[in-house]
Amino acid sequence: MHQPTKHSSAQTAAKGTTAQQRGVSLIMVMLIMVVVAMLGVSGVQIAMMAERGARNDRDMQIAFQAAEAALIDAEFDINNKNAGSKRAVNPFDKNNARFLFVADCAGSGDSLGLCAEKGPTEVPDWLKVDFTDTSTSAKTVEFGKFTGRVFPVGSAGIQPYQKPRYLIELLNDDKKSEFTPYFRITAMGFGPRQDIQVVLQTVYRN
């Protein structure tokens, strides 16, 4: 007759230990896979943040260069040297300045973008004017308006959203006995989107 196989207690314990080891190994492998997956996700997020940072830096550089170009265009406007649709009357001559620079930058025609003197306690106009306004009632000057210079914008390639704009405020050198005007130029440049903006400012003596 067939006799049932008898297992010793040592054999039973060995099998139980092997099963436990396999269960622990599976858990360890799963934990390692979770850690690797988390590291992979973190790596992707870091790469995306780096790419976003590089893109933002590029866009700010575009806006910065546009604002710098507007400062130069304003200097051409003041010097009235560049060929183009210049102001009919030179408002930067000291004999005309106080007549053609208008309070609150509210002028038009030859006075467009020209802001009259402010008192020492008054808020300067460049802090109050909307540089994003491109309507016919805008108080700032679009690049090339009085110089005829060209500035490419638009969606072709990576270009500024719109042309940079500037305004010129009249200042007076109080240290001199006679009226001696000089000018504060404030310019805003735009990146590929209108909300990417850089403001630059310089003081210019003619």
Side-chain angles (χ1 to χ4, degrees):
M1 296 180 62
H2 177 71
Q3 296 293 326
T5 304
K6 296 181 179 179
H7 298 282
S8 66
S9 59
Q11 289 176 326
T12 303
K15 289 184 178 181
T17 301
T18 301
Q20 289 176 354
Q21 289 176 346
R22 288 176 180 173
V24 171
S25 298
L26 178 61
I27 293 172
M28 292 299 295
V29 170
M30 292 180 67
L31 288 173
I32 292 171
M33 291 180 65
V34 170
V35 171
V36 170
M38 290 176 64
L39 289 174
V41 171
S42 298
V44 171
Q45 289 178 336
I46 292 171
M48 290 178 65
M49 289 177 63
E51 189 273 336
R52 191 180 299 116
R55 185 171 63 248
N56 288 342
D57 184 63
R58 178 205 65 193
D59 293 348
M60 290 299 293
Q61 285 297 322
I62 292 172
F64 181 90
Q65 291 170 11
E68 202 168 39
L71 289 182
I72 296 172
D73 195 58
E75 291 179 9
F76 272 110
D77 185 5
I78 293 172
N79 286 313
N80 205 27
K81 292 178 180 179
N82 210 52
S85 53
K86 303 172 185 176
R87 300 179 194 265
V89 179
N90 180 11
F92 307 105
D93 181 272
K94 68 178 182 179
N95 296 318
N96 300 328
R98 279 185 164 158
F99 301 101
L100 292 176
F101 278 76
V102 181
D104 299 319
C105 311
S108 59
D110 289 337
S111 295
L112 178 63
L114 306 182
C115 313
E117 293 176 74
K118 288 282 189 179
T121 60
E122 293 182 276
V123 178
D125 287 311
W126 72 270
L127 287 173
K128 300 187 294 182
V129 168
D130 181 8
F131 282 86
T132 64
D133 185 7
T134 59
S135 68
T136 54
S137 60
K139 295 183 177 182
T140 57
V141 180
E142 185 180 75
F143 184 102
K145 169 72 174 178
F146 294 112
T147 63
R149 300 171 74 227
V150 177
F151 190 91
V153 296
S155 58
I158 304 172
Q159 296 182 351
Y161 175 85
Q162 66 184 64
K163 291 183 180 181
R165 305 184 73 89
Y166 66 86
L167 61 79
I168 304 172
E169 295 170 277
L170 178 64
L171 305 174
N172 179 33
D173 192 343
D174 295 328
K175 295 180 180 179
K176 297 186 178 181
S177 56
E178 64 175 0
F179 174 58
T180 307
Y182 63 105
F183 313 98
R184 178 169 58 214
I185 306 169
T186 306
M188 178 178 283
F190 302 90
R193 302 194 315 270
Q194 190 184 48
D195 62 330
I196 301 173
Q197 304 165 354
V198 169
V199 175
L200 295 180
Q201 194 172 79
T202 187
V203 172
Y204 187 84
R205 294 179 182 270
N206 198 359

